[in-house]
Amino acid sequence: MSQVTRVSVFSRVLPALAVALVAFAFVVLSDRSPTRLTLELAWAGPDSTRPFGSGDAGVDLFALVFHATFRALGLAAVVALFGFTLGTPLGTTAGLAGGKAQRWLLRACDLTQSFPTFLLALAVLSAVAVPSRLHIGAVFCLTVWAPFARIASVQARVLGQSQFVEAAQALGVSHGVIILKHVMPNLLGPVAIQLGTAAAGIVIGETALGLVGLGPADGVSLGSLMEQGTLSMLRAPHVLAVGALTVMVVSGSLQLASEGLRRWVGRT
Amino acid sequence: MTDHRRDQARASRVVPVLLKVAERSFGALLVLLVLATLVFLALRLLPGDPAALILGDQAPELERAALRARLGLDRPLWLQYLHYLKGLFVLDLGDSLARPGTKAFGEVGRALGPTAALSGVAVLLGAVGGIAAALLSVGPWLGARREWAHRGILAFAATPLIAFAPLLTYLFAVDRQWAPLPGDPDAGVAGLLFASGLLSIPLAAQVGRIGRAALLDQARAKFLDVARAKGATSIRVWVVHALPAAFAPISVVIATQLGALLGGAVVLERLFERPGLGTLMLNAYAARDIPVLEASVVAAGCLFVLAQAAAAFASATLDPRTAA
C-alpha cells in the first residue's frame, strides 16, 4: 500500500476507533453513572462538574453520552458481525454453486431487504411487555444478513470463474482449499465495507426507534437521549444539542470508517 | 412485416414483462403476508395475558374474560388467524379498543390523509430543492463557490434526519420563532410546510447528488454547445436543454427514496405531534390497541410496497439496463 493510501485509510478509520476507545475507557474507568438521578439538578445547564449538563430527573448527560455510545456501538458491532458470519458463507456457497441456488438466495435477499425495518420492529417488539436491547438487536438480525449474502454471492460468482481459480483447479487443488485460500481472501474486502455501512445503519436505526419511544427500557440509549432533548426543547435546549451532536459524531465516524475500508479494498 | 409477425413480436416483448410484473406482485404480497402474520403472532404469542396487558394487572378476571371473548382470543389460534386474514381482505378488523365504536380501518383511513399530505409536499420540495442544488453546483452562477453547493449536498446526504431535524426545529421554531412550535394545534399550512421541509432535506440531498452527476454527464454534450452557439442564456442551456436529458436518473432516485421518506415521516409526526399513520401506529402500540395496530402496520406495509413498486417501475422504464 502506498504512503498516501495508508494515510487516507487511517485518517478515515481513526475517528471511529477513537470514539469506540474513548467510550470504552469511560465506561470501564469512570464511576459516573448514567442512571443515577439527582432530582434537584433536573434539566440544569452545563457547569464545571457536569460538562454536558443534566437531563430528565437530573441524569448526568456526560455519563449518559459515553454509556449510550458504548452500548450503541456494542449493539452495532454484534449485529453487524452476526450478519457477516451468517451472510458471507451463505452467499459464497450459493455464488460458487451458481444456477438455481444463487437465484433463490438472491430472491430471498430481495424479499428480506424489502422489509421496512421500522414496521418489522413494531410488529416484533409488541410481543414483549418492555423492549430490551436484546429484542432490538434480534429485530435487526432478521434482516442484516441479506446485504452480506448478496455481496458475497456476486463476488464468489465472479471469482469462481476467474483464471487463477481455473489454474488452481487444473493443478488439482481440492475444492475446500480453493474456497479457503483463493476465493475467501479476495472476497472479504468488498464484504468488509458492508460491515461499516451496516454498523452505521444500526446506530441510526436504534436511535430512531428510541426517539419514537421503542427504545430499550433502561433509558441508556442515544434514542432516549434524543427523546429527552426533543421533549425538553423549550426549557433545556442543551440536552437536544448534546444528543444531536453525539448521533452525528457516532454515525458520521462509522460512515467515514466504511469509506476508509472502501479505499483500503480498492488499493492497487 | 405481416400483421401476424408483428403480433408475435409484440407478444414476445409483452410476455417477459408480464412475468416480471407477476413475480414482483407475488413478492410484494409475500412481504405483506409475512408482515401481517408477524404482527398477528407477536400480539398473540405474548408471554402472559394480552387482556391483562391492555387492561392492566389489576383488572378483574370477569372484565379480562369479556375482552378476550371480544377479541376472539379464546378461540384456537388457527381460527383466529383465518378470521384475521378475512378481516384484512374485507378491510374490517373490528373496533378500536382505545376508542370503542370506531372501526380500526376507519382510523387508518383518517390517518392516511395527513401522512399523504406530509409525504407529498416533502417529495415536491425535495425534488425541486435537490434539482436546484444540483443546477447551482454545476452551472456558472455561483462561480468558484459552486463547490460549496456540492459540499452542502454531501454534508446533508451524510447526516441522519433524526440528528438534524430536532436541531433545525429548535433553531427555527424556538430560537428564531419563524416556524410554528411542534404540537401547535393552530400550525396549519405553515406547520405542514415546515415539517415537510425538514422531511424533504434527505431526499433533496440524494436528488442533488445524483442530479449533479447526471448533469455533469451532459455538460460536454454537443447539443449544449449548439444551444450556446445560438446565443441561449446559461439558464436556458442548463434548465431547458441539459435538465430534461438528466431527468431519468433523478426520477429513479426520487422513487427509490420514497420508502426512506415514509420511515422519516413517522419520526417527524412524532416530533411535531402531528396526526398521521405513524402517530396512530405508535399510539396503538403504546395502548396495545390490537385491531388498530394490526390495521395500521399492514396499511403502512402496503404503502411501503407500493413505493418500492414505483421505484422498480421508474428504473425499468427510464433505464432499460435494469429492466432485463
Side-chain angles (χ1 to χ4, degrees), chain A residues 107 111 113-120 122-131 142 203-205 207-208 211-214 226-227 230-231 233-234 237 240-241 244-245 247-248 251-252 255, chain B residues 20 23 27-28 30-31 34-35 38-39 42-43 45-47 53 157-160 162-164 166-167 169-170 174 181-182 266-267 270-271 281-282 285 288 293 296-297 300-301 304 308:
Chain A
R107 284 281 169 282
L111 276 182
Q113 285 182 297
S114 61
F115 271 108
T117 314
F118 177 75
L119 294 182
L120 204 62
L122 200 68
V124 175
L125 292 181
S126 50
V128 290
V130 185
L142 287 177
V203 167
I204 295 171
T207 311
L211 179 61
V212 298
L214 292 170
M226 288 295 294
E227 193 188 14
T230 51
L231 291 177
M233 200 183 275
L234 290 176
L240 182 64
L245 285 178
V247 174
M248 280 186 205
S251 80
Q255 280 173 344
Chain B
K20 197 90 196 158
E23 195 187 312
L30 199 62
V31 167
V34 172
L35 201 61
L38 269 178
V39 66
L43 290 165
L45 296 182
L46 201 72
L53 200 72
T159 319
I162 41 169
F164 71 73
L167 270 187
T169 308
Y170 172 75
V174 181
L181 281 172
V266 175
V267 172
R270 175 79 171 199
L271 182 63
M281 248 186 304
L282 292 170
Y285 166 80
R288 292 297 198 277
L293 185 57
S296 54
V297 166
F304 197 86
Q308 281 181 332

Coordinates of all heavy atoms in Angstrom, one line a residue, chain A residues 107 111 113-120 122-131 142 203-205 207-208 211-214 226-227 230-231 233-234 237 240-241 244-245 247-248 251-252 255, chain B residues 20 23 27-28 30-31 34-35 38-39 42-43 45-47 53 157-160 162-164 166-167 169-170 174 181-182 266-267 270-271 281-282 285 288 293 296-297 300-301 304 308:
Chain A
R107 N -33.2 -14.0 -4.6 CA -34.6 -13.7 -4.4 C -34.9 -13.5 -2.8 O -35.6 -12.6 -2.4 CB -35.5 -14.9 -4.9 CG -35.7 -14.9 -6.3 CD -36.7 -13.9 -6.8 NE -36.7 -13.9 -8.3 CZ -35.8 -13.2 -9.0 NH1 -34.8 -12.5 -8.3 NH2 -35.8 -13.1 -10.3
L111 N -36.4 -10.2 -0.9 CA -37.5 -10.2 0.0 C -37.2 -9.6 1.3 O -37.8 -8.7 1.9 CB -38.1 -11.6 0.2 CG -39.1 -12.0 -0.9 CD1 -39.6 -13.4 -0.6 CD2 -40.3 -11.1 -1.0
Q113 N -34.6 -7.7 2.2 CA -34.3 -6.3 2.2 C -35.4 -5.4 1.9 O -35.4 -4.2 2.1 CB -33.2 -6.1 1.1 CG -31.8 -6.6 1.6 CD -30.7 -6.3 0.6 OE1 -30.7 -6.8 -0.5 NE2 -29.7 -5.5 1.0
S114 N -36.6 -6.0 1.4 CA -37.7 -5.1 1.1 C -38.6 -4.9 2.4 O -39.6 -4.2 2.3 CB -38.5 -5.6 -0.1 OG -39.0 -6.9 0.2
F115 N -38.2 -5.5 3.5 CA -39.0 -5.3 4.7 C -38.7 -4.0 5.3 O -37.5 -3.6 5.5 CB -38.7 -6.4 5.8 CG -39.5 -7.6 5.7 CD1 -39.0 -8.8 5.2 CD2 -40.9 -7.5 6.0 CE1 -39.9 -9.9 5.1 CE2 -41.7 -8.6 5.9 CZ -41.2 -9.8 5.4
P116 N -39.7 -3.1 5.6 CA -39.4 -1.9 6.3 C -39.0 -2.2 7.7 O -39.9 -2.8 8.5 CB -40.8 -1.2 6.2 CG -41.8 -2.2 5.8 CD -41.1 -3.3 5.2
T117 N -37.8 -1.9 8.1 CA -37.3 -2.3 9.4 C -38.2 -1.7 10.5 O -38.4 -2.4 11.5 CB -35.9 -1.7 9.6 OG1 -35.1 -2.0 8.4 CG2 -35.2 -2.4 10.8
F118 N -38.7 -0.5 10.4 CA -39.5 0.1 11.4 C -40.7 -0.7 11.7 O -41.1 -1.0 12.9 CB -39.8 1.5 11.0 CG -40.7 2.2 12.0 CD1 -40.1 2.6 13.2 CD2 -42.0 2.4 11.8 CE1 -40.9 3.2 14.2 CE2 -42.8 2.9 12.8 CZ -42.3 3.4 14.0
L119 N -41.4 -1.1 10.6 CA -42.7 -1.9 10.8 C -42.4 -3.2 11.4 O -43.1 -3.7 12.3 CB -43.4 -2.1 9.5 CG -43.9 -0.8 8.9 CD1 -44.6 -1.1 7.6 CD2 -44.9 -0.1 9.8
L120 N -41.3 -3.8 11.0 CA -40.9 -5.1 11.5 C -40.6 -5.0 13.0 O -41.0 -5.8 13.8 CB -39.6 -5.5 10.8 CG -39.2 -7.0 10.7 CD1 -40.3 -7.8 10.0 CD2 -37.9 -7.2 10.1
L122 N -41.8 -2.8 15.0 CA -43.1 -2.5 15.8 C -43.8 -3.8 15.9 O -44.4 -4.1 17.0 CB -43.9 -1.5 14.9 CG -45.0 -0.8 15.7 CD1 -44.3 0.2 16.7 CD2 -45.8 0.0 14.7
A123 N -43.8 -4.6 14.9 CA -44.6 -5.9 15.0 C -43.9 -6.8 16.0 O -44.6 -7.4 16.8 CB -44.6 -6.6 13.6
V124 N -42.6 -6.9 15.9 CA -41.9 -7.9 16.8 C -41.9 -7.4 18.2 O -42.1 -8.2 19.2 CB -40.5 -8.2 16.3 CG1 -39.7 -9.1 17.2 CG2 -40.6 -8.8 14.9
L125 N -41.6 -6.1 18.4 CA -41.5 -5.6 19.8 C -42.8 -5.6 20.5 O -42.8 -5.5 21.8 CB -40.9 -4.2 19.8 CG -39.4 -4.1 19.3 CD1 -38.9 -2.7 19.4 CD2 -38.5 -5.0 20.2
S126 N -43.9 -5.6 19.8 CA -45.2 -5.6 20.5 C -45.4 -7.0 21.2 O -46.4 -7.1 22.0 CB -46.4 -5.3 19.6 OG -46.3 -6.0 18.4
A127 N -44.5 -7.9 20.9 CA -44.7 -9.2 21.6 C -44.1 -9.2 23.0 O -44.3 -10.1 23.8 CB -44.0 -10.3 20.8
V128 N -43.3 -8.2 23.3 CA -42.7 -8.1 24.7 C -43.3 -7.0 25.4 O -43.6 -5.9 24.8 CB -41.2 -8.0 24.6 CG1 -40.6 -9.3 24.0 CG2 -40.8 -6.8 23.7
A129 N -43.5 -7.2 26.7 CA -44.0 -6.1 27.5 C -43.1 -4.9 27.5 O -43.6 -3.7 27.3 CB -44.3 -6.6 28.9
V130 N -41.8 -5.1 27.8 CA -40.9 -4.0 27.8 C -39.7 -4.4 26.9 O -39.0 -5.3 27.2 CB -40.3 -3.8 29.3 CG1 -39.4 -2.6 29.3 CG2 -41.5 -3.7 30.2
P131 N -39.5 -3.6 25.8 CA -38.4 -4.0 24.9 C -37.0 -3.8 25.6 O -36.8 -2.8 26.3 CB -38.6 -3.0 23.7 CG -39.5 -2.0 24.2 CD -40.2 -2.4 25.4
L142 N -32.7 -10.0 12.0 CA -33.6 -10.6 11.0 C -33.3 -10.2 9.6 O -33.4 -11.0 8.6 CB -35.1 -10.2 11.3 CG -35.8 -10.8 12.5 CD1 -37.2 -10.3 12.6 CD2 -35.8 -12.3 12.3
V203 N -26.8 1.9 14.2 CA -26.8 3.0 15.2 C -27.9 4.0 14.9 O -28.7 4.4 15.9 CB -25.4 3.8 15.1 CG1 -25.5 5.1 15.9 CG2 -24.3 2.9 15.7
I204 N -28.1 4.3 13.6 CA -29.2 5.3 13.3 C -30.6 4.6 13.6 O -31.5 5.2 14.1 CB -29.1 5.7 11.9 CG1 -27.8 6.6 11.7 CG2 -30.3 6.6 11.4 CD1 -27.5 6.9 10.3
G205 N -30.7 3.3 13.2 CA -32.0 2.6 13.4 C -32.3 2.5 14.9 O -33.5 2.8 15.3
T207 N -31.4 4.5 17.2 CA -31.7 5.9 17.7 C -33.1 6.3 17.3 O -33.9 6.8 18.1 CB -30.7 6.9 17.1 OG1 -29.4 6.4 17.4 CG2 -30.8 8.3 17.8
A208 N -33.5 5.9 16.0 CA -34.8 6.3 15.6 C -35.9 5.6 16.4 O -36.9 6.2 16.7 CB -34.9 6.0 14.1
L211 N -36.1 7.2 19.7 CA -36.7 8.6 19.6 C -38.3 8.5 19.5 O -39.0 9.4 20.1 CB -36.2 9.3 18.3 CG -36.7 10.7 18.0 CD1 -36.4 11.6 19.2 CD2 -36.1 11.2 16.8
V212 N -38.8 7.4 18.9 CA -40.3 7.3 18.8 C -40.8 6.5 20.0 O -42.0 6.0 19.9 CB -40.8 6.8 17.5 CG1 -40.4 7.7 16.4 CG2 -40.2 5.4 17.2
G213 N -40.0 6.2 21.0 CA -40.5 5.5 22.2 C -40.4 4.0 22.2 O -41.0 3.3 23.0
L214 N -39.6 3.4 21.2 CA -39.4 2.0 21.1 C -38.0 1.6 21.6 O -37.5 0.5 21.2 CB -39.7 1.5 19.7 CG -41.1 1.6 19.2 CD1 -41.1 1.3 17.7 CD2 -42.0 0.6 19.9
M226 N -32.1 11.5 22.6 CA -32.7 12.4 21.7 C -34.2 12.7 22.1 O -34.7 13.8 21.9 CB -32.7 11.8 20.3 CG -31.4 11.8 19.6 SD -30.7 13.4 19.2 CE -31.9 14.0 18.0
E227 N -34.8 11.7 22.6 CA -36.2 11.8 23.1 C -36.3 12.9 24.2 O -37.1 13.8 24.1 CB -36.8 10.5 23.5 CG -38.3 10.6 23.7 CD -38.9 9.3 24.3 OE1 -38.1 8.5 24.8 OE2 -40.1 9.1 24.2
T230 N -35.8 16.3 22.6 CA -36.9 16.9 21.9 C -38.1 17.3 22.8 O -38.7 18.3 22.6 CB -37.5 15.9 20.8 OG1 -37.7 14.7 21.4 CG2 -36.5 15.7 19.7
L231 N -38.3 16.5 23.9 CA -39.4 16.8 24.8 C -39.1 18.1 25.6 O -40.0 18.8 26.0 CB -39.6 15.7 25.8 CG -40.2 14.4 25.1 CD1 -40.3 13.3 26.2 CD2 -41.6 14.7 24.5
M233 N -37.1 20.7 24.6 CA -36.6 21.6 23.7 C -36.7 23.1 24.2 O -35.8 23.9 24.1 CB -37.3 21.5 22.4 CG -36.6 22.1 21.2 SD -37.7 21.9 19.8 CE -37.3 20.2 19.2
L234 N -37.9 23.4 24.9 CA -38.1 24.7 25.3 C -37.3 25.1 26.5 O -36.8 26.2 26.6 CB -39.6 24.9 25.5 CG -40.5 24.9 24.3 CD1 -41.9 25.0 24.7 CD2 -40.1 26.0 23.3
P237 N -32.5 23.4 26.0 CA -32.0 23.1 24.7 C -30.7 22.4 24.7 O -30.4 21.7 23.7 CB -32.0 24.5 24.0 CG -32.1 25.5 25.1 CD -32.7 24.8 26.2
L240 N -30.9 18.6 23.8 CA -31.0 18.4 22.3 C -29.7 18.5 21.6 O -29.3 17.7 20.8 CB -32.1 19.3 21.8 CG -32.4 19.1 20.3 CD1 -33.0 17.8 20.1 CD2 -33.3 20.2 19.8
A241 N -29.0 19.6 21.9 CA -27.7 19.8 21.3 C -26.7 18.7 21.5 O -26.1 18.1 20.6 CB -27.1 21.1 21.7
A244 N -28.0 15.4 19.6 CA -27.9 15.5 18.1 C -26.4 15.4 17.7 O -26.1 14.7 16.8 CB -28.5 16.8 17.6
L245 N -25.6 16.1 18.5 CA -24.1 16.1 18.1 C -23.5 14.7 18.3 O -22.7 14.3 17.5 CB -23.4 17.1 19.0 CG -23.6 18.6 18.5 CD1 -22.8 19.6 19.4 CD2 -23.1 18.8 17.1
V247 N -25.1 11.8 18.1 CA -25.6 10.9 17.0 C -24.8 11.2 15.7 O -24.4 10.3 15.0 CB -27.1 11.1 16.7 CG1 -27.5 10.3 15.5 CG2 -27.9 10.7 18.0
M248 N -24.6 12.6 15.4 CA -23.8 12.9 14.2 C -22.4 12.4 14.3 O -21.9 11.8 13.3 CB -23.8 14.4 14.1 CG -25.0 15.0 13.5 SD -24.8 16.8 13.2 CE -26.5 17.3 13.3
S251 N -22.5 8.3 14.1 CA -22.9 7.7 12.8 C -21.9 8.2 11.7 O -21.6 7.4 10.8 CB -24.3 8.0 12.5 OG -24.5 9.3 12.0
G252 N -21.5 9.5 11.9 CA -20.6 10.0 10.9 C -19.2 9.3 10.9 O -18.7 8.9 9.9
Q255 N -19.6 6.0 9.2 CA -19.7 6.1 7.7 C -18.3 6.4 7.1 O -17.9 5.9 6.1 CB -20.7 7.2 7.3 CG -22.1 6.7 7.4 CD -23.1 7.8 7.2 OE1 -22.8 8.9 7.3 NE2 -24.3 7.4 6.9
Chain B
K20 N -42.5 -10.6 -15.3 CA -41.8 -9.8 -14.3 C -42.8 -9.2 -13.3 O -42.6 -9.2 -12.1 CB -41.0 -8.7 -15.1 CG -39.9 -8.1 -14.3 CD -38.6 -8.8 -14.5 CE -37.7 -8.4 -13.5 NZ -36.6 -9.3 -13.2
E23 N -44.2 -11.7 -11.0 CA -43.2 -12.1 -10.0 C -43.1 -11.1 -8.9 O -43.0 -11.4 -7.7 CB -41.8 -12.3 -10.7 CG -40.8 -13.1 -9.9 CD -39.5 -13.1 -10.6 OE1 -39.4 -13.4 -11.8 OE2 -38.5 -12.7 -9.9
G27 N -44.0 -11.3 -4.9 CA -43.0 -10.9 -3.9 C -43.6 -9.9 -2.9 O -43.5 -10.0 -1.7
A28 N -44.3 -8.9 -3.5 CA -44.9 -7.8 -2.7 C -46.0 -8.4 -1.7 O -46.0 -8.1 -0.6 CB -45.5 -6.8 -3.6
L30 N -46.1 -11.5 -0.7 CA -45.4 -12.3 0.3 C -44.9 -11.4 1.5 O -45.1 -11.8 2.6 CB -44.3 -13.0 -0.4 CG -43.7 -14.3 0.4 CD1 -44.8 -15.3 0.5 CD2 -42.5 -14.8 -0.3
V31 N -44.3 -10.3 1.1 CA -43.8 -9.4 2.1 C -45.0 -8.9 3.0 O -44.8 -9.0 4.3 CB -43.1 -8.1 1.5 CG1 -42.9 -7.0 2.5 CG2 -41.8 -8.5 0.9
V34 N -46.1 -11.9 5.3 CA -45.2 -12.1 6.4 C -45.4 -11.1 7.5 O -45.4 -11.4 8.7 CB -43.8 -12.2 5.9 CG1 -42.8 -12.3 7.0 CG2 -43.6 -13.4 5.0
L35 N -45.4 -9.8 7.0 CA -45.6 -8.7 8.0 C -46.9 -8.8 8.8 O -46.9 -8.7 10.0 CB -45.6 -7.4 7.2 CG -45.2 -6.1 7.9 CD1 -43.8 -6.2 8.5 CD2 -45.3 -4.9 7.0
L38 N -46.5 -11.7 11.2 CA -45.7 -11.4 12.3 C -46.4 -10.5 13.4 O -46.3 -10.8 14.6 CB -44.5 -10.6 11.8 CG -43.2 -11.4 11.5 CD1 -42.1 -10.5 11.0 CD2 -42.7 -12.2 12.7
V39 N -47.1 -9.5 12.9 CA -47.8 -8.7 13.9 C -48.9 -9.4 14.5 O -49.2 -9.3 15.7 CB -48.3 -7.3 13.2 CG1 -49.4 -7.5 12.2 CG2 -48.8 -6.4 14.3
A42 N -47.1 -11.9 17.0 CA -46.4 -11.2 18.1 C -47.4 -10.9 19.2 O -47.2 -11.0 20.4 CB -45.8 -9.9 17.6
L43 N -48.6 -10.4 18.8 CA -49.6 -10.0 19.7 C -50.3 -11.1 20.4 O -50.8 -11.0 21.5 CB -50.7 -9.1 19.1 CG -50.1 -7.7 18.6 CD1 -51.1 -7.1 17.6 CD2 -49.9 -6.9 19.8
L45 N -48.7 -14.5 20.7 CA -47.8 -15.4 21.4 C -47.1 -14.7 22.6 O -46.2 -15.3 23.2 CB -46.7 -15.9 20.4 CG -47.3 -16.7 19.3 CD1 -46.2 -17.2 18.4 CD2 -48.1 -17.9 19.8
L46 N -47.6 -13.5 22.9 CA -47.1 -12.8 24.0 C -47.1 -13.6 25.3 O -48.1 -14.3 25.6 CB -48.1 -11.7 24.2 CG -47.9 -10.4 25.0 CD1 -47.0 -9.5 24.2 CD2 -49.2 -9.7 25.2
P47 N -45.9 -13.7 26.0 CA -46.0 -14.4 27.3 C -46.9 -13.7 28.2 O -46.9 -12.5 28.4 CB -44.5 -14.3 27.8 CG -43.9 -13.3 27.0 CD -44.7 -13.1 25.8
L53 N -52.4 -7.1 29.7 CA -51.5 -6.0 29.2 C -52.3 -4.8 28.8 O -51.9 -3.7 29.0 CB -50.8 -6.6 28.0 CG -49.5 -5.9 27.7 CD1 -48.4 -6.2 28.7 CD2 -49.0 -6.3 26.3
A157 N -26.4 14.8 2.8 CA -26.6 13.4 2.4 C -26.0 12.5 3.5 O -26.5 11.4 3.7 CB -26.0 13.1 1.1
A158 N -25.0 13.0 4.2 CA -24.3 12.1 5.2 C -24.9 12.2 6.6 O -24.6 11.4 7.5 CB -22.8 12.4 5.2
T159 N -25.7 13.3 6.8 CA -26.2 13.5 8.2 C -27.6 12.9 8.3 O -28.5 13.1 7.5 CB -26.4 15.0 8.5 OG1 -25.2 15.6 7.9 CG2 -26.4 15.3 10.0
P160 N -27.8 12.1 9.4 CA -29.1 11.4 9.5 C -30.2 12.4 9.9 O -29.9 13.4 10.7 CB -28.9 10.4 10.7 CG -27.7 10.8 11.4 CD -26.9 11.6 10.4
I162 N -32.7 12.1 11.9 CA -33.0 12.2 13.3 C -32.1 13.1 14.1 O -32.4 13.5 15.1 CB -33.0 10.8 14.0 CG1 -31.8 10.0 13.5 CG2 -34.2 10.0 13.8 CD1 -31.6 8.7 14.3
A163 N -30.9 13.4 13.5 CA -30.0 14.3 14.2 C -30.3 15.7 13.9 O -30.3 16.6 14.8 CB -28.5 13.9 13.9
F164 N -30.5 16.0 12.6 CA -30.6 17.4 12.3 C -32.1 18.0 12.4 O -32.2 19.2 12.6 CB -29.9 17.8 11.0 CG -30.6 17.3 9.7 CD1 -31.8 17.9 9.3 CD2 -30.1 16.3 9.0 CE1 -32.4 17.4 8.2 CE2 -30.7 15.8 7.8 CZ -31.9 16.4 7.5
P166 N -34.5 17.6 14.7 CA -34.8 18.3 16.0 C -34.0 19.6 16.2 O -34.5 20.6 16.7 CB -34.4 17.3 17.1 CG -34.4 16.0 16.4 CD -34.0 16.2 15.0
L167 N -32.7 19.6 15.7 CA -31.9 20.8 15.9 C -32.4 21.9 15.1 O -32.5 23.1 15.6 CB -30.4 20.5 15.4 CG -29.4 19.9 16.4 CD1 -28.1 19.9 15.7 CD2 -29.4 20.8 17.6
T169 N -35.5 22.3 14.1 CA -36.7 22.7 14.7 C -36.5 23.6 15.8 O -37.2 24.7 16.0 CB -37.5 21.4 15.3 OG1 -37.5 20.5 14.2 CG2 -38.8 21.8 15.7
Y170 N -35.5 23.3 16.7 CA -35.2 24.2 17.8 C -34.8 25.6 17.2 O -35.3 26.6 17.7 CB -34.0 23.7 18.6 CG -33.5 24.7 19.7 CD1 -34.3 24.9 20.8 CD2 -32.4 25.4 19.5 CE1 -33.9 25.8 21.7 CE2 -32.0 26.3 20.4 CZ -32.8 26.6 21.5 OH -32.4 27.5 22.4
V174 N -38.1 27.6 18.0 CA -37.9 28.0 19.4 C -37.1 29.3 19.4 O -37.5 30.3 19.9 CB -37.3 26.9 20.3 CG1 -37.2 27.4 21.7 CG2 -38.2 25.7 20.2
L181 N -44.4 26.1 16.7 CA -43.8 25.1 17.6 C -44.4 23.7 17.3 O -45.5 23.6 16.9 CB -44.1 25.5 19.0 CG -43.2 26.6 19.6 CD1 -43.8 27.1 20.9 CD2 -41.8 26.2 19.8
P182 N -43.6 22.7 17.6 CA -44.1 21.3 17.5 C -45.3 21.2 18.4 O -45.3 21.6 19.5 CB -43.0 20.4 18.0 CG -41.8 21.2 17.8 CD -42.2 22.6 18.0
V266 N -42.7 9.0 10.0 CA -43.1 8.5 11.3 C -42.4 9.3 12.4 O -43.0 9.8 13.4 CB -42.7 7.0 11.4 CG1 -43.1 6.5 12.9 CG2 -43.5 6.2 10.4
V267 N -41.0 9.5 12.2 CA -40.2 10.2 13.2 C -40.7 11.7 13.3 O -40.9 12.2 14.4 CB -38.7 10.2 12.8 CG1 -37.9 11.1 13.7 CG2 -38.2 8.8 12.9
R270 N -44.0 12.1 15.1 CA -43.8 12.0 16.5 C -43.2 13.3 17.0 O -43.7 13.9 18.0 CB -42.9 10.8 16.8 CG -42.5 10.7 18.2 CD -43.6 10.0 19.0 NE -43.1 9.6 20.3 CZ -43.7 8.7 21.0 NH1 -44.8 8.1 20.6 NH2 -43.2 8.5 22.2
L271 N -42.2 13.8 16.3 CA -41.5 15.0 16.8 C -42.5 16.2 16.8 O -42.4 17.0 17.7 CB -40.4 15.3 15.8 CG -39.5 16.5 16.0 CD1 -38.7 16.3 17.4 CD2 -38.4 16.6 14.9
M281 N -49.9 4.4 14.7 CA -49.3 3.1 14.9 C -48.6 3.2 16.3 O -48.7 2.2 17.1 CB -48.2 2.9 13.9 CG -48.4 1.8 12.9 SD -47.0 1.5 11.9 CE -46.7 3.0 11.1
L282 N -47.9 4.2 16.6 CA -47.2 4.3 17.9 C -48.1 4.4 19.1 O -47.9 3.8 20.1 CB -46.2 5.5 17.9 CG -45.1 5.4 16.9 CD1 -44.3 6.7 16.8 CD2 -44.1 4.3 17.4
Y285 N -49.5 1.0 19.5 CA -48.5 0.1 20.1 C -48.5 0.4 21.7 O -48.5 -0.5 22.5 CB -47.1 0.4 19.5 CG -46.0 -0.2 20.3 CD1 -45.7 -1.5 20.2 CD2 -45.2 0.6 21.2 CE1 -44.6 -2.1 20.9 CE2 -44.2 0.1 21.9 CZ -43.9 -1.3 21.7 OH -42.8 -1.8 22.5
R288 N -51.5 -1.0 23.3 CA -51.8 -2.3 22.8 C -53.2 -2.4 22.2 O -53.9 -3.4 22.6 CB -51.6 -3.3 24.0 CG -50.1 -3.5 24.4 CD -49.3 -4.1 23.3 NE -48.0 -4.6 23.8 CZ -46.9 -3.9 24.1 NH1 -46.9 -2.6 23.9 NH2 -45.8 -4.5 24.6
L293 N -53.4 -1.5 15.7 CA -52.0 -1.8 15.4 C -51.9 -2.7 14.2 O -51.1 -2.4 13.3 CB -51.4 -2.5 16.7 CG -49.9 -2.7 16.6 CD1 -49.1 -1.4 16.3 CD2 -49.3 -3.3 17.9
S296 N -52.9 -0.7 11.0 CA -52.0 0.3 10.6 C -50.7 -0.2 10.1 O -50.1 0.3 9.2 CB -51.8 1.4 11.7 OG -51.4 0.7 12.9
V297 N -50.2 -1.3 10.8 CA -48.9 -1.9 10.3 C -49.1 -2.4 8.9 O -48.3 -2.2 8.0 CB -48.4 -3.0 11.2 CG1 -47.3 -3.8 10.6 CG2 -47.9 -2.4 12.5
A300 N -49.4 0.5 6.4 CA -48.1 1.1 6.2 C -47.2 0.2 5.3 O -46.5 0.7 4.4 CB -47.4 1.4 7.5
G301 N -47.4 -1.1 5.5 CA -46.6 -2.1 4.7 C -47.1 -2.0 3.3 O -46.2 -2.0 2.4
F304 N -45.5 1.0 1.7 CA -44.0 0.8 1.5 C -43.8 -0.1 0.3 O -43.0 0.2 -0.6 CB -43.5 0.1 2.7 CG -42.0 0.1 2.8 CD1 -41.4 1.2 3.4 CD2 -41.3 -0.9 2.3 CE1 -40.0 1.2 3.4 CE2 -39.9 -0.9 2.4 CZ -39.3 0.2 2.9
Q308 N -41.9 0.8 -3.3 CA -40.9 0.0 -4.0 C -41.3 -0.4 -5.4 O -40.4 -0.4 -6.3 CB -40.7 -1.2 -3.2 CG -39.8 -1.0 -2.0 CD -39.5 -2.2 -1.2 OE1 -40.3 -3.1 -1.1 NE2 -38.4 -2.2 -0.5

